[in-house]
Amino acid sequence: MNKLCCAYLAVVLVATGACATERPDADRVHARGPITFVDGRDNTEGKQLERLVERWNNRRGSKEQVTFVEQSPSSDAHRASLVAAAQDGALPGARGRCNDVITVDAVWTAEFARAGYLLPLNPDEFDIGKFLDVPVQNATVDDTLYAIPARTDAGLLYYRKDLLEQQHKKPPTNWTELAETANELRTIYDIDGYVGQLSRYEGLTVNALEAIWSQGGDLTTNGEITINSPAAKQGVELLARGLRDGWIPRAATGFNEERSRERFQAGKALFMRNWPYIYPIVTGPTSPVAHQVGVTTLPGPSALGGWNLAISPCSQHQETARDFIRFYTDKDEQQQLFAKGGFAPTVRSLYDDPVLRSKFPYLDVLHSSLITARDRVQTPQYDRISDLMQESLHGALDRVEGVPGRLDQLAEDMRAALH
Amino acid sequence: MSHSEDKHASILAVDVESYGDVRRTDRHQKVVRDGLYAALRHALGRARVPWGYHEDRGDGLFLLIPDLPKRELVASLPHELAAALREHNADHGPETQMRLRVAIHAGEVGSDDNGKHGRDLNHAFRLLDSQPLRDALADSPGVLALAVSDWFYEHVVKHQPAANPTIYRSCTVRHKETDTKAWICTPDYPNRRASPKPKVRLPKPKLPTLRLPRPRWQAVVLTALLLVAPTTNLLAGANAPDTRCANPVQVNVLTSTEMAPTLRQLALNFERESNQADENGCRQARLLVVADTYLGAVEALSRGWSGRIDLRDHGPEPHVWLPDSTIDLDHVRTKLAKSPGIGATLEPRPGIARSPIVLATPPGMVDSLHPGDQQWISWPTLAQAAVTKAITRPDVSNSSAGMLTTIAYYQHRLGEPQLTPTVMRTDPVALTVHKAEREIPFARGKDSGSLLCAMRDAPGRLAALVSEKAVFDYNRGRPLGSDCSASSQRPEGLVPLYLELDSPIQDYPFVVVRWTDRPEHRQRSQVIDRFYAYLLSPTATTFLRNNGFRDASGQVGRDEGPAPSLPAELMVSPLTAFDQVRDAAELGSQHPRVLFAVDTAPTMGAPFVQGTRVRAATELVRRLLQHFSDADEVGLMTFGGGVRDVVPLGPGQTSALRSAASPDLPLSRNNSDVYNALEAGTDRLRADPSVDGRDVLVMFTDAATAVPSQIDESALKVKVSAQDKRATRLIVVSLQAGGCRVAHLSDLSKATEGTCIDLTSVEEDTAKLTNLVAMGLWG
């Protein structure tokens, strides 16, 4: 608890030193009033985030109205928007617009917390014990809680169960099996073998790391950069070979989540790596492959994805902000967001819910993916590292033979970037 | 430069910690500077050190003191200075409190017109900026951290018990591959040991651990503030727990789909260079480059980025906008001027590159255009060629190239030097634009790159007005736009033909966007200035040239082959009616649906000028028909007794209609019901609502037997004026003087935003009627 005291102290100091605020700090901490809620684009079937905000507004009325502001679906742009707003909000004399409650990607949480963009939170006020452990650890920076897990994410392997059944194949459990099946069936059915997210953005970092982990490699080991270890090279070579041999289409080097989802949903891919939110869409009534979709775990550990809810220091109505976070992470809301929007819940007990389990048979698969999911890397410099990875990997995927050289160079660049 | 003169002096350099912190306003900074000078003067006076020569460095200053017993600098001065600083801090709030880093060295210092210089002076600055000194201050609860050079320590400090040499610890200062030794201390907190550096530099700093019980928050905070205030710099304490590097300043850059790939690379290079320039390797800035279409950027900026979905659909608010052309900027300014109160101001700087619009021509088509020197062409030749050859251009809404080309093309077609709002309101615009769009249509949804990308799949058939940059990319097999990857098969090159006069030229201005609802972020402004300077640097200029752009002086890249110098530029007035040009292009490119309805009652056989009423009507149908092609939907019905569909409405009917209207339409035996015909015509036009567009019903009648009092006029008005997916305009030509008024046909047509005219003669009224129809369809 001492750590928490310190964090509170730091925040009050931020406020005294910085913000020209309209209210004394203690007032803001306990004040209620209208707030803004900032999240990424609501891609869910039926706009489930909008619905959630509506439910809140219907209950609370205009005095504690929540205005929902959607950010770009590109997480880089979402991040840039939040950072610029936080930097502007810290200027003396800054007034007006404040992103009271924001959703923060699990990978930026440490950076945002250390930069002073997030208010520390008291775990007791949020019944922190009810959440899954991994996302809570992710939202805890230097022993202080800065955010509440809103939705968690782990990659899943979607597949065409009809085609696998026709060929008497089982869903693959490792990359070798996956490559073999993909190679065999893609010619029979004239479809893509495997699609993932290999465009030059955060998705590429995730896909590459998962391939690296599956071969026993990692980005860092005991604090040392090991992106050029033999195992890591094997991981990247795996993807490069897939592209060379054709079971991953070249076009996938331009795919993000949505592009790969469209491809799969149109019946043009056998395997797809994607997040859980895709499930209700590809199995939805308008999906041409609605009844042919199978889901299993990735052929290796998944990267931990997910989004946390946090409060900006500029917030004038922090009591309402905290209330809204509690509302968002309430068991009922989490259940709705999962059932209708496909967001994997952060509340542990939902994974044992018998009704949910019978309705969503892949809940077990999801749970086991989540508990084995791995954090990408916890450092405030994450975005720099990811930038370097994307830059290097996108080129590395062009030629299998070029992979080792590229990764040696990447390791050197990373060491230089981190001093 | 005057000659240099070296003098030996003691060097004392001073820097205020976190001077540029965003939380200090200009006023705060002034208080801090005044305080710094006062404290220094006070301390130097007390330590009997003369003030010497000094130079201000913004966040600090340096002093050169010749002829001074050097021990004075390290004996009592540090303590006097710390005391003076504590005094200052006790009287000031957190934003105006300060802590200092001080570096001391001695050596030869030269001077010339540009000020003082010399290796020893540089060395002192290096010590001052070094990470160990910064860390020492960050770790100290005191107000002062002092670094002395190895030479100074060995020759002065070590031999001065008054300087307390044991409180100094040695450390290594790195600078550009070279390591030098220095000695550091915190004189006002001498016993605090610096924590050992972590071996691996994945930074993981901890919050200060204060052990406090858990009482009410306010009490804790207040007590803590009281405890900390007298000795600690609150600003430093208020900093994010990570003291190693401040979070980089975020700069969001909006640009075009054409410029984005190149600019992303330039932004990365700029970030890298800035990081290398930072002695501590801290990231100074992070740039995000977002691409948008012409209209997307223009509209979001004109709304002040405040639309509910602007952040979602257009990305973060831009701090810098780098459009393809100054017209983008003029367009936004025109729109902003109409809605005062939108808090965005745009500060343009001269462009970073150039690219003229050229006619990208398949080699097989070049000779038939008879270009001068095989590379020059004029607008008249181009417009002439477009009658028989397939030529296209980018979407007017999608890219600056599309808008620029449209303006140039329309100016030529309309014979107007400027497309002001007045010009765009004149009668001939709708028809001329429609003709222009028929001859050089724009390719919907395409910018220069994606247009050529589409042409790469079917080469040789089409020529296109696109940016020279896109042609260079095409010819070198580079990626074209974001969706068209590089091509391994080099297609047959396209020949760029340059417009010898009134050539549109993209000029890529650098526009700083300021939002008036928040204070200026000074560090961000500095980064933006540096980024602009970087974009004009030789490195960036070469990079732009290698990516198919011309540099700001019009030079092309070495590998692009011979290219003429920039052609004579089209001048686009900032007063251009951009919105109307776009609307005209959109409407003019639509395929219309026109139904002619001719009254064939016996009364239409009455004489009219030199023939009969029905002859005048038929002649007008024939004349109007000239303006439609087989892509347009036309039809003809007659009404006399009942309604008869002579030529059913549909595409490809122009020749059928022409023969039906030649010779004159035959008369029927029965009287006509003009109101019933009106309803019937409207129904036929609206029968297929699947396509958006405009319809015109052109009715010719003498209204001889029309009795308005016998109909439910208001119900008829509601019906004909209903604006569903398709809007119908009614244009009535009355062949009997006063018919418009008497039969209430004026009222009815006005209800549809149409007109009724009493015909004087075919010859006199053809032009007027043509314009009315054109306005109804494309105006």
Side-chain angles (χ1 to χ4, degrees), chain B residues 385-714:
Chain B
V387 178
T388 52
K389 294 188 172 48
I391 300 178
T392 182
R393 58 185 226 274
D395 189 330
V396 63
S397 305
N398 209 266
S399 63
S400 310
M403 179 55 99
L404 261 178
T405 311
T406 303
I407 292 171
Y409 180 43
Y410 288 3
Q411 286 187 357
H412 166 71
R413 293 296 298 244
L414 291 163
E416 295 282 353
Q418 289 180 22
L419 301 180
T420 57
T422 321
V423 168
M424 292 306 289
R425 268 196 297 272
T426 52
D427 279 348
V429 168
L431 193 63
T432 312
V433 162
H434 176 63
K435 272 189 193 156
E437 289 299 333
R438 224 161 56 179
E439 286 165 14
I440 306 186
F442 67 80
R444 194 162 290 277
K446 303 278 190 233
D447 65 0
S448 295
S450 51
L451 182 51
L452 292 193
C453 175
M455 282 166 63
R456 196 157 69 182
D457 296 333
R461 299 189 197 153
L462 203 61
L465 285 160
V466 291
S467 69
E468 184 193 47
K469 139 112 182 136
V471 180
F472 286 159
D473 286 348
Y474 182 98
N475 288 349
R476 299 185 63 77
R478 285 191 289 242
L480 291 162
S482 49
D483 282 339
C484 200
S485 55
S487 160
S488 50
Q489 290 171 328
R490 191 71 63 86
E492 189 182 24
L494 292 167
V495 180
L497 297 182
Y498 295 81
L499 286 152
E500 56 195 4
L501 282 177
D502 291 336
S503 168
I505 297 178
Q506 304 190 127
D507 60 344
Y508 309 95
F510 183 95
V511 184
V512 181
V513 185
R514 294 199 196 285
W515 304 97
T516 50
D517 64 348
R518 68 204 78 163
E520 184 189 350
H521 194 300
R522 291 190 335 121
Q523 281 166 305
R524 185 179 295 137
S525 302
Q526 288 164 6
V527 171
I528 290 172
D529 289 346
R530 290 209 315 274
F531 183 49
Y532 181 58
Y534 173 77
L535 291 177
L536 297 178
S537 71
T539 324
T541 306
T542 311
F543 190 82
L544 282 161
R545 281 201 303 258
N546 290 339
N547 279 272
F549 295 97
R550 294 188 183 222
D551 62 25
S553 62
Q555 298 299 310
V556 296
R558 240 184 320 161
D559 299 334
E560 309 300 357
S565 53
L566 278 178
E569 186 172 1
L570 168 87
M571 289 301 149
V572 180
S573 161
L575 302 174
T576 300
F578 297 101
D579 283 337
Q580 288 92 322
V581 168
R582 191 179 76 82
D583 291 347
E586 288 286 349
L587 283 169
S589 62
Q590 282 182 2
H591 292 303
R593 203 179 272 180
V594 183
L595 182 61
F596 298 100
V598 181
D599 189 346
T600 51
T603 51
M604 288 291 284
F608 185 83
V609 193
Q610 283 164 354
T612 59
R613 290 173 182 170
V614 77
R615 170 167 294 179
T618 318
E619 175 61 20
L620 281 170
V621 170
R622 284 195 292 265
R623 291 190 182 193
L624 287 174
L625 205 55
Q626 292 169 6
H627 301 293
F628 300 98
S629 70
D630 272 353
D632 308 326
E633 290 185 45
V634 293
L636 174 67
M637 65 175 228
T638 57
F639 56 103
V643 170
R644 200 163 73 85
D645 292 301
V646 182
V647 177
L649 196 61
Q653 295 281 44
T654 42
S655 43
L657 210 153
R658 203 166 287 124
S659 43
S662 173
D664 300 346
L665 291 161
L667 295 177
S668 56
R669 287 195 203 123
N670 301 317
N671 282 342
S672 59
D673 180 346
V674 65
Y675 305 112
N676 176 47
L678 231 169
E679 272 193 70
T682 310
D683 286 343
R684 280 161 175 70
L685 284 165
R686 291 179 185 165
D688 174 15
S690 60
V691 195
D692 285 340
R694 287 204 194 164
D695 303 328
V696 170
L697 176 61
V698 191
M699 177 175 266
F700 301 86
T701 180
D702 57 7
T705 52
V707 185
S709 58
Q710 287 177 355
I711 59 157
D712 183 350
E713 195 179 326
S714 57

Side-chain angles (χ1 to χ4, degrees), chain B residues 237-289:
Chain B
N239 263 329
D242 185 0
T243 47
R244 190 172 297 276
C245 286
N247 223 39
V249 177
Q250 182 69 40
V251 179
N252 298 331
V253 182
L254 172 69
T255 193
S256 68
T257 44
E258 176 163 290
M259 179 52 94
T262 307
L263 197 62
R264 280 202 185 102
Q265 204 55 50
L266 284 168
L268 274 177
N269 295 347
F270 166 72
E271 278 186 19
R272 198 170 296 140
E273 286 199 6
S274 316
N275 299 345
Q276 281 164 1
D278 187 296
E279 180 146 323
N280 305 312
C282 288
R283 293 183 72 187
Q284 300 189 330
R286 186 178 155 90
L287 277 68
L288 178 83
V289 176

